[in-house]
mmCIF file of all heavy atoms in Angstrom:
data_model
loop_
_atom_site.group_PDB
_atom_site.id
_atom_site.type_symbol
_atom_site.label_atom_id
_atom_site.label_comp_id
_atom_site.label_asym_id
_atom_site.label_seq_id
_atom_site.Cartn_x
_atom_site.Cartn_y
_atom_site.Cartn_z
ATOM 1 N N LEU A 1 6.509 -6.159 -5.829
ATOM 2 C CA LEU A 1 5.939 -5.959 -4.488
ATOM 3 C C LEU A 1 4.412 -6.016 -4.508
ATOM 4 O O LEU A 1 3.781 -6.376 -3.502
ATOM 5 C CB LEU A 1 6.399 -4.615 -3.899
ATOM 6 C CG LEU A 1 7.872 -4.498 -3.508
ATOM 7 C CD1 LEU A 1 8.169 -3.090 -2.998
ATOM 8 C CD2 LEU A 1 8.243 -5.531 -2.443
ATOM 9 N N ALA A 2 3.833 -5.672 -5.649
ATOM 10 C CA ALA A 2 2.372 -5.736 -5.762
ATOM 11 C C ALA A 2 1.854 -7.151 -5.579
ATOM 12 O O ALA A 2 0.703 -7.358 -5.171
ATOM 13 C CB ALA A 2 1.930 -5.185 -7.119
ATOM 14 N N ALA A 3 2.695 -8.140 -5.878
ATOM 15 C CA ALA A 3 2.288 -9.535 -5.709
ATOM 16 C C ALA A 3 2.355 -9.970 -4.249
ATOM 17 O O ALA A 3 1.724 -10.950 -3.858
ATOM 18 C CB ALA A 3 3.182 -10.448 -6.559
ATOM 19 N N PHE A 4 3.114 -9.242 -3.440
ATOM 20 C CA PHE A 4 3.271 -9.587 -2.029
ATOM 21 C C PHE A 4 2.372 -8.753 -1.121
ATOM 22 O O PHE A 4 1.997 -9.192 -0.039
ATOM 23 C CB PHE A 4 4.736 -9.396 -1.609
ATOM 24 C CG PHE A 4 5.676 -10.364 -2.267
ATOM 25 C CD1 PHE A 4 6.273 -10.065 -3.475
ATOM 26 C CD2 PHE A 4 5.952 -11.591 -1.679
ATOM 27 C CE1 PHE A 4 7.136 -10.958 -4.086
ATOM 28 C CE2 PHE A 4 6.814 -12.497 -2.278
ATOM 29 C CZ PHE A 4 7.410 -12.182 -3.484
ATOM 30 N N TYR A 5 2.050 -7.540 -1.553
ATOM 31 C CA TYR A 5 1.253 -6.636 -0.711
ATOM 32 C C TYR A 5 -0.013 -6.209 -1.453
ATOM 33 O O TYR A 5 -0.335 -5.024 -1.545
ATOM 34 C CB TYR A 5 2.104 -5.424 -0.314
ATOM 35 C CG TYR A 5 3.376 -5.809 0.393
ATOM 36 C CD1 TYR A 5 4.619 -5.692 -0.229
ATOM 37 C CD2 TYR A 5 3.337 -6.336 1.684
ATOM 38 C CE1 TYR A 5 5.789 -6.067 0.420
ATOM 39 C CE2 TYR A 5 4.500 -6.709 2.339
ATOM 40 C CZ TYR A 5 5.719 -6.580 1.695
ATOM 41 O OH TYR A 5 6.868 -6.964 2.346
ATOM 42 N N HIS A 6 -0.732 -7.210 -1.988
ATOM 43 C CA HIS A 6 -1.934 -6.914 -2.760
ATOM 44 C C HIS A 6 -3.148 -6.644 -1.881
ATOM 45 O O HIS A 6 -4.254 -6.464 -2.388
ATOM 46 C CB HIS A 6 -2.236 -8.059 -3.737
ATOM 47 C CG HIS A 6 -2.217 -9.423 -3.111
ATOM 48 N ND1 HIS A 6 -3.224 -9.883 -2.308
ATOM 49 C CD2 HIS A 6 -1.291 -10.410 -3.174
ATOM 50 C CE1 HIS A 6 -2.935 -11.101 -1.892
ATOM 51 N NE2 HIS A 6 -1.757 -11.451 -2.394
ATOM 52 N N ASP A 7 -2.946 -6.610 -0.561
ATOM 53 C CA ASP A 7 -4.054 -6.357 0.360
ATOM 54 C C ASP A 7 -4.405 -4.868 0.448
ATOM 55 O O ASP A 7 -5.401 -4.503 1.067
ATOM 56 C CB ASP A 7 -3.699 -6.867 1.759
ATOM 57 C CG ASP A 7 -2.455 -6.197 2.322
ATOM 58 O OD1 ASP A 7 -1.543 -5.875 1.527
ATOM 59 O OD2 ASP A 7 -2.390 -5.997 3.555
ATOM 60 N N SER A 8 -3.567 -4.010 -0.153
ATOM 61 C CA SER A 8 -3.810 -2.564 -0.005
ATOM 62 C C SER A 8 -3.536 -1.833 -1.315
ATOM 63 O O SER A 8 -2.833 -0.825 -1.340
ATOM 64 C CB SER A 8 -2.917 -1.995 1.103
ATOM 65 O OG SER A 8 -1.555 -2.333 0.869
ATOM 66 N N LEU A 9 -4.109 -2.338 -2.404
ATOM 67 C CA LEU A 9 -3.859 -1.751 -3.719
ATOM 68 C C LEU A 9 -5.053 -0.992 -4.289
ATOM 69 O O LEU A 9 -5.065 -0.647 -5.469
ATOM 70 C CB LEU A 9 -3.447 -2.853 -4.709
ATOM 71 C CG LEU A 9 -2.105 -3.540 -4.434
ATOM 72 C CD1 LEU A 9 -1.810 -4.576 -5.514
ATOM 73 C CD2 LEU A 9 -0.978 -2.526 -4.365
ATOM 74 N N ASP A 10 -6.041 -0.717 -3.456
ATOM 75 C CA ASP A 10 -7.193 0.067 -3.907
ATOM 76 C C ASP A 10 -6.802 1.540 -3.886
ATOM 77 O O ASP A 10 -6.777 2.172 -2.830
ATOM 78 C CB ASP A 10 -8.395 -0.183 -2.998
ATOM 79 C CG ASP A 10 -9.641 0.571 -3.450
ATOM 80 O OD1 ASP A 10 -9.551 1.323 -4.446
ATOM 81 O OD2 ASP A 10 -10.689 0.423 -2.801
ATOM 82 N N ILE A 11 -6.484 2.085 -5.058
ATOM 83 C CA ILE A 11 -5.962 3.450 -5.100
ATOM 84 C C ILE A 11 -7.024 4.493 -4.754
ATOM 85 O O ILE A 11 -6.692 5.653 -4.500
ATOM 86 C CB ILE A 11 -5.340 3.772 -6.471
ATOM 87 C CG1 ILE A 11 -6.397 3.768 -7.572
ATOM 88 C CG2 ILE A 11 -4.212 2.809 -6.791
ATOM 89 C CD1 ILE A 11 -5.876 4.270 -8.917
ATOM 90 N N THR A 12 -8.298 4.099 -4.727
ATOM 91 C CA THR A 12 -9.363 5.035 -4.323
ATOM 92 C C THR A 12 -9.507 5.105 -2.812
ATOM 93 O O THR A 12 -10.228 5.953 -2.308
ATOM 94 C CB THR A 12 -10.706 4.627 -4.943
ATOM 95 O OG1 THR A 12 -11.128 3.359 -4.399
ATOM 96 C CG2 THR A 12 -10.602 4.504 -6.456
ATOM 97 N N ASP A 13 -8.845 4.222 -2.099
ATOM 98 C CA ASP A 13 -8.916 4.168 -0.641
ATOM 99 C C ASP A 13 -7.748 4.958 -0.044
ATOM 100 O O ASP A 13 -6.584 4.594 -0.238
ATOM 101 C CB ASP A 13 -8.868 2.713 -0.174
ATOM 102 C CG ASP A 13 -9.123 2.557 1.318
ATOM 103 O OD1 ASP A 13 -8.519 3.306 2.108
ATOM 104 O OD2 ASP A 13 -9.922 1.675 1.687
ATOM 105 N N LYS A 14 -8.041 6.026 0.674
ATOM 106 C CA LYS A 14 -6.995 6.887 1.242
ATOM 107 C C LYS A 14 -6.084 6.121 2.176
ATOM 108 O O LYS A 14 -4.857 6.316 2.177
ATOM 109 C CB LYS A 14 -7.637 8.062 1.992
ATOM 110 C CG LYS A 14 -6.619 9.050 2.557
ATOM 111 C CD LYS A 14 -7.306 10.207 3.251
ATOM 112 C CE LYS A 14 -6.275 11.173 3.826
ATOM 113 N NZ LYS A 14 -6.921 12.315 4.542
ATOM 114 N N ASP A 15 -6.642 5.215 2.975
ATOM 115 C CA ASP A 15 -5.813 4.426 3.900
ATOM 116 C C ASP A 15 -4.861 3.507 3.143
ATOM 117 O O ASP A 15 -3.706 3.326 3.559
ATOM 118 C CB ASP A 15 -6.705 3.606 4.836
ATOM 119 C CG ASP A 15 -7.464 4.475 5.827
ATOM 120 O OD1 ASP A 15 -7.003 5.601 6.110
ATOM 121 O OD2 ASP A 15 -8.517 4.033 6.321
ATOM 122 N N HIS A 16 -5.326 2.943 2.060
ATOM 123 C CA HIS A 16 -4.457 2.090 1.243
ATOM 124 C C HIS A 16 -3.300 2.896 0.658
ATOM 125 O O HIS A 16 -2.164 2.406 0.588
ATOM 126 C CB HIS A 16 -5.255 1.438 0.113
ATOM 127 C CG HIS A 16 -6.084 0.277 0.562
ATOM 128 N ND1 HIS A 16 -6.510 -0.725 -0.297
ATOM 129 C CD2 HIS A 16 -6.569 -0.063 1.786
ATOM 130 C CE1 HIS A 16 -7.218 -1.621 0.376
ATOM 131 N NE2 HIS A 16 -7.274 -1.225 1.642
ATOM 132 N N ARG A 17 -3.595 4.122 0.232
ATOM 133 C CA ARG A 17 -2.540 4.973 -0.321
ATOM 134 C C ARG A 17 -1.492 5.289 0.746
ATOM 135 O O ARG A 17 -0.285 5.305 0.458
ATOM 136 C CB ARG A 17 -3.133 6.262 -0.897
ATOM 137 C CG ARG A 17 -4.085 6.029 -2.072
ATOM 138 C CD ARG A 17 -4.305 7.291 -2.885
ATOM 139 N NE ARG A 17 -4.959 8.365 -2.163
ATOM 140 C CZ ARG A 17 -6.274 8.569 -2.147
ATOM 141 N NH1 ARG A 17 -7.077 7.734 -2.820
ATOM 142 N NH2 ARG A 17 -6.784 9.585 -1.488
ATOM 143 N N GLU A 18 -1.944 5.524 1.971
ATOM 144 C CA GLU A 18 -1.014 5.808 3.070
ATOM 145 C C GLU A 18 -0.137 4.590 3.367
ATOM 146 O O GLU A 18 1.087 4.710 3.510
ATOM 147 C CB GLU A 18 -1.799 6.191 4.335
ATOM 148 C CG GLU A 18 -2.476 7.549 4.267
ATOM 149 C CD GLU A 18 -1.478 8.680 4.221
ATOM 150 O OE1 GLU A 18 -0.651 8.793 5.148
ATOM 151 O OE2 GLU A 18 -1.494 9.430 3.230
ATOM 152 N N ILE A 19 -0.763 3.447 3.468
ATOM 153 C CA ILE A 19 -0.027 2.216 3.779
ATOM 154 C C ILE A 19 1.044 1.948 2.731
ATOM 155 O O ILE A 19 2.194 1.620 3.051
ATOM 156 C CB ILE A 19 -1.001 1.019 3.879
ATOM 157 C CG1 ILE A 19 -1.894 1.156 5.120
ATOM 158 C CG2 ILE A 19 -0.240 -0.310 3.919
ATOM 159 C CD1 ILE A 19 -3.049 0.170 5.150
ATOM 160 N N THR A 20 0.669 2.109 1.468
ATOM 161 C CA THR A 20 1.611 1.836 0.388
ATOM 162 C C THR A 20 2.760 2.833 0.395
ATOM 163 O O THR A 20 3.919 2.459 0.171
ATOM 164 C CB THR A 20 0.892 1.869 -0.970
ATOM 165 O OG1 THR A 20 -0.173 0.906 -0.960
ATOM 166 C CG2 THR A 20 1.848 1.538 -2.093
ATOM 167 N N ALA A 21 2.474 4.099 0.653
ATOM 168 C CA ALA A 21 3.532 5.110 0.726
ATOM 169 C C ALA A 21 4.532 4.754 1.816
ATOM 170 O O ALA A 21 5.750 4.816 1.616
ATOM 171 C CB ALA A 21 2.926 6.487 0.982
ATOM 172 N N HIS A 22 4.026 4.365 2.976
ATOM 173 C CA HIS A 22 4.902 3.987 4.089
ATOM 174 C C HIS A 22 5.708 2.733 3.746
ATOM 175 O O HIS A 22 6.902 2.638 4.070
ATOM 176 C CB HIS A 22 4.080 3.774 5.351
ATOM 177 C CG HIS A 22 3.434 5.026 5.858
ATOM 178 N ND1 HIS A 22 2.404 5.030 6.764
ATOM 179 C CD2 HIS A 22 3.667 6.335 5.569
ATOM 180 C CE1 HIS A 22 2.027 6.269 7.026
ATOM 181 N NE2 HIS A 22 2.779 7.074 6.300
ATOM 182 N N ARG A 23 5.059 1.784 3.115
ATOM 183 C CA ARG A 23 5.760 0.543 2.757
ATOM 184 C C ARG A 23 6.921 0.814 1.797
ATOM 185 O O ARG A 23 8.015 0.271 1.949
ATOM 186 C CB ARG A 23 4.784 -0.451 2.117
ATOM 187 C CG ARG A 23 3.983 -1.252 3.115
ATOM 188 C CD ARG A 23 3.001 -2.188 2.437
ATOM 189 N NE ARG A 23 2.391 -3.099 3.418
ATOM 190 C CZ ARG A 23 1.270 -3.766 3.222
ATOM 191 N NH1 ARG A 23 0.602 -3.630 2.081
ATOM 192 N NH2 ARG A 23 0.801 -4.565 4.156
ATOM 193 N N LEU A 24 6.672 1.641 0.817
ATOM 194 C CA LEU A 24 7.719 1.913 -0.163
ATOM 195 C C LEU A 24 8.915 2.614 0.471
ATOM 196 O O LEU A 24 10.063 2.238 0.242
ATOM 197 C CB LEU A 24 7.149 2.747 -1.315
ATOM 198 C CG LEU A 24 6.419 1.936 -2.387
ATOM 199 C CD1 LEU A 24 5.501 2.814 -3.216
ATOM 200 C CD2 LEU A 24 7.428 1.229 -3.286
ATOM 201 N N ILE A 25 8.660 3.649 1.266
ATOM 202 C CA ILE A 25 9.760 4.372 1.915
ATOM 203 C C ILE A 25 10.497 3.460 2.889
ATOM 204 O O ILE A 25 11.723 3.513 3.001
ATOM 205 C CB ILE A 25 9.220 5.636 2.624
ATOM 206 C CG1 ILE A 25 8.681 6.631 1.578
ATOM 207 C CG2 ILE A 25 10.317 6.296 3.460
ATOM 208 C CD1 ILE A 25 7.943 7.809 2.172
ATOM 209 N N SER A 26 9.757 2.594 3.574
ATOM 210 C CA SER A 26 10.359 1.678 4.552
ATOM 211 C C SER A 26 11.249 0.636 3.893
ATOM 212 O O SER A 26 12.346 0.334 4.380
ATOM 213 C CB SER A 26 9.269 0.954 5.350
ATOM 214 O OG SER A 26 8.471 1.844 6.076
ATOM 215 N N LYS A 27 10.775 0.067 2.803
ATOM 216 C CA LYS A 27 11.412 -1.139 2.256
ATOM 217 C C LYS A 27 12.444 -0.864 1.157
ATOM 218 O O LYS A 27 13.238 -1.750 0.821
ATOM 219 C CB LYS A 27 10.325 -2.099 1.745
ATOM 220 C CG LYS A 27 9.376 -2.533 2.870
ATOM 221 C CD LYS A 27 8.290 -3.451 2.403
ATOM 222 C CE LYS A 27 7.219 -3.629 3.478
ATOM 223 N NZ LYS A 27 7.748 -4.013 4.797
#
């Protein structure tokens, strides 16, 4: 999935962490 959603992989960015958490639970 990191190859498909590499637009939000900055782990220092709080918004990126939120987006990724939602994506994982959703998908």
Side-chain angles (χ1 to χ4, degrees):
L1 290 178
F4 293 90
Y5 303 108
H6 49 75
D7 59 326
S8 53
L9 294 182
D10 182 358
I11 65 172
T12 66
D13 188 313
K14 183 178 179 181
D15 291 336
H16 282 203
R17 297 198 296 268
E18 289 293 302
I19 291 169
T20 302
H22 294 163
R23 277 178 171 161
L24 277 161
I25 294 171
S26 299
K27 299 179 191 308

